Amino acid sequence: MTTQAPSPDFVQKLAEIRAQFPVLEREVHGKPLIYLDNAATTQKPLPVIQALDEYYRRYNANVHRGVHTLSEEATAAYENARLRIARFVNAPSPKQVIFTRNATESINLVAHTWGRANLGPGDEVLITEMEHHSNIVPWQILQEQLGFTLRHIPLTSQGTLDLSQLDGLVNQRTKLVSFVHVSNVLGTVNPVARLVEAARSVGAKVLIDAAQSVPHMPVDVQALGADFVVFSGHKMAGPTGIGVLYGRRELLEEMPPFLGGGDMIREVKLSGSRWNALPYKFEAGTPSIAQGIGLGAAVDYLNQVGVDWIWEHERTLVRYAYEQMSQVEGLRILGPGPEERGGLIAFTLEGVHPHDLAAILDMDGIAIRAGHHCAQPLHDRYGMVASARASFYLYNTLEEVDKLVAGLEKAVDVFAL
Ligand code: C6P
């Protein structure tokens, strides 16, 4: 091991963090759980679990509707959570934080509102070859209906964006450049400033899929300079069923609503309706109230730990894991070196199917993900159908990396026989 011995303060902080996540106490197949599937969804700390519990026990009521005490308490807690989430990503106003179910729904919202109103034959939408399906399929569905062209920035053999053709790919026809901030397979941290600048030079709008960045590193939506930024609550210690679309105010004001129904209207007549103000225009029906409140508790918790600390900790884990995993016979890591990636490593192990590998590791209590990770075009690009992936979060330890590597070595032995 080449890492320095951690300081006593660090050891204590990590122990305190781990104590906040009850699931980390459990065993799987008689072994302590080692949870390395954080890019799929993260575990939840006590403050989040308690916020959900308290809502259901003490003030469960619908929001924005009632004048009774419970409804007022629920509305205040829900809207206060929105305010704290806005501050977490430095959105200028909570009105620009639209609650959705997840990052996927946020992208679909933009596609079906902004996209439908602004895209047509002759226009181009530019994505990348490393996108999650949620930033490919909505545009393909819309493309069939509206007749615009969907183009993509290709990948280099190192797992980064090949920007050599960027000047041609971004042109006067480009109306939107939509790309992932941190790849959920390659770990690549994309050059946001360069891509935003290229889009701006032709007046195109920018959407950033920040599902794998907001949970792990400080993200300032204003500094990113995008028009839309999307992320999911469940990947950042929050509950499932709540996600965010941040949007530039003028654009959100102009965009037509997404879904129609209660809460998103100002006035309804049988002859027609008028829409509610932001953010409610995009939030039809009873929202995910407990989940919104839970996400508020999650950002408080992440702030308390320190997002800078989380990022640094993940950097330490990924550097160490990269170094150790590189030494496993037949193991091939996808994507760039540790300095250019977030806290995850997707890989293949010669002679072992990723699903078999995940099943073997599970017998040791180690949870990793195997499959195409909802990024089939990316896997096609590298001539693969699936990969295995270990992804880290604030509660993971260097010892857990050691156990992962030991498990991988065991798998090599088993399958080499
Ligand atoms: N990636 C993974 O295991 P949702 O499902 O809407 O919460 O998140 C979608 C999504 C969008 N963009 C990126 C970069 C993502 O990684 C994900 C979710 C999970 O990699 C589940 S497939």
Side-chain angles (χ1 to χ4, degrees):
M1 156 163 180
T2 56
T3 47
Q4 286 180 339
S7 71
D9 282 357
F10 174 86
V11 171
Q12 193 187 336
K13 177 154 180 162
L14 195 51
E16 281 167 13
I17 288 171
R18 290 181 65 82
Q20 291 290 302
F21 289 83
V23 77
L24 298 180
E25 287 162 21
R26 72 163 283 187
E27 295 192 336
V28 171
H29 299 301
K31 307 275 174 53
L33 169 67
I34 296 180
Y35 187 77
L36 300 177
D37 194 16
N38 294 288
T41 198
T42 62
Q43 298 302 338
K44 319 304 173 200
L46 282 171
V48 171
I49 296 167
Q50 283 157 358
L52 296 173
D53 185 73
E54 198 191 345
Y55 166 75
Y56 285 123
R57 278 179 198 274
R58 287 195 39 81
Y59 61 100
N60 170 57
N62 213 327
V63 289
H64 309 141
R65 287 158 172 82
V67 286
H68 60 80
T69 301
L70 264 58
S71 178
E72 281 178 357
E73 286 178 8
T75 303
Y78 183 69
E79 290 306 329
N80 198 272
R82 191 196 304 271
L83 180 65
R84 278 142 47 224
I85 294 159
R87 287 189 187 137
F88 186 72
V89 291
N90 196 30
S93 158
K95 293 181 195 311
Q96 290 163 263
V97 169
I98 317 292
F99 281 144
T100 60
R101 275 189 308 140
N102 45 41
T104 302
E105 189 173 284
S106 300
I107 298 175
N108 276 274
L109 191 162
V110 175
H112 291 285
T113 60
W114 180 87
R116 234 174 248 295
N118 289 283
L119 298 172
D123 293 335
E124 293 182 6
V125 169
L126 182 62
I127 58 171
T128 83
E129 204 173 6
M130 65 166 80
E131 296 310 312
H132 186 275
H133 295 165
S134 60
N135 198 24
I136 302 174
V137 183
W139 305 114
Q140 290 175 335
I141 292 172
L142 207 60
Q143 176 190 31
E144 280 191 16
Q145 296 163 0
L146 303 181
F148 61 87
T149 303
L150 186 58
R151 304 185 75 185
H152 66 265
I153 302 173
L155 297 179
T156 64
S157 53
Q158 288 81 41
T160 54
L161 293 178
D162 179 355
L163 298 180
S164 60
Q165 310 296 319
L166 188 63
D167 288 347
L169 284 169
V170 178
N171 58 60
Q172 294 302 328
R173 293 181 296 279
T174 312
K175 293 289 175 296
L176 176 73
V177 180
S178 187
F179 61 92
V180 70
H181 192 182
V182 175
S183 162
N184 66 322
V185 179
L186 302 165
T188 315
V189 182
N190 280 320
V192 172
R194 172 98 198 267
L195 294 166
V196 170
E197 189 194 337
R200 293 288 177 238
S201 72
V202 295
K205 303 288 181 268
V206 176
L207 185 153
I208 298 181
D209 172 357
Q212 300 292 354
S213 57
V214 166
H216 304 278
M217 59 169 79
V219 171
D220 174 333
V221 292
Q222 295 184 69
L224 287 182
D227 298 288
F228 303 107
V229 178
V230 307
F231 53 96
S232 288
H234 69 96
K235 293 187 198 290
M236 50 192 288
T240 51
I242 188 85
V244 168
L245 165 66
Y246 156 82
R248 266 210 0 251
R249 189 147 179 177
E250 317 82 81
L251 284 176
L252 294 175
E253 298 278 9
E254 277 166 30
M255 280 154 54
F258 179 36
L259 304 173
D263 228 20
M264 52 74 70
I265 45 79
R266 190 181 301 280
E267 187 185 44
V268 179
K269 303 260 187 231
L270 288 177
S271 53
S273 304
R274 291 193 302 126
W275 317 138
N276 205 341
L278 292 176
Y280 312 113
K281 180 171 83 172
F282 296 108
E283 296 180 358
T286 298
S288 300
I289 303 166
Q291 292 80 349
I293 293 168
L295 183 55
V299 300
D300 293 346
Y301 177 74
L302 297 178
N303 277 331
Q304 185 203 319
V305 172
V307 183
D308 285 319
W309 186 93
I310 295 171
W311 177 238
E312 280 311 314
H313 178 53
E314 286 189 35
R315 303 225 41 72
T316 306
L317 290 169
V318 83
R319 277 190 200 110
Y320 182 63
Y322 193 97
E323 179 196 296
Q324 297 297 308
M325 289 167 71
S326 302
Q327 288 165 31
V328 176
E329 202 186 321
L331 191 144
R332 179 179 151 225
I333 293 177
L334 303 179
E339 300 310 323
E340 290 169 85
R341 64 165 68 222
L344 64 92
I345 297 182
F347 59 97
T348 55
L349 195 53
E350 204 181 325
V352 190
H353 192 281
H355 284 117
D356 292 337
L357 189 56
I360 293 173
L361 291 173
D362 186 56
M363 294 311 293
D364 283 335
I366 303 172
I368 64 159
R369 186 167 173 191
H372 53 57
H373 317 302
C374 298
Q376 277 189 315
L378 184 160
H379 282 80
D380 287 346
R381 161 68 176 84
Y382 297 110
M384 299 157 48
V385 286
S387 58
R389 183 187 67 192
S391 51
F392 307 111
Y393 208 26
L394 70 166
Y395 35 70
N396 290 124
T397 66
L398 293 171
E399 292 72 32
E400 290 181 325
V401 174
D402 286 335
K403 290 197 177 132
L404 167 69
V405 173
L408 294 171
E409 274 161 355
K410 196 160 94 184
V412 172
D413 290 346
V414 170
F415 281 88
L417 289 177

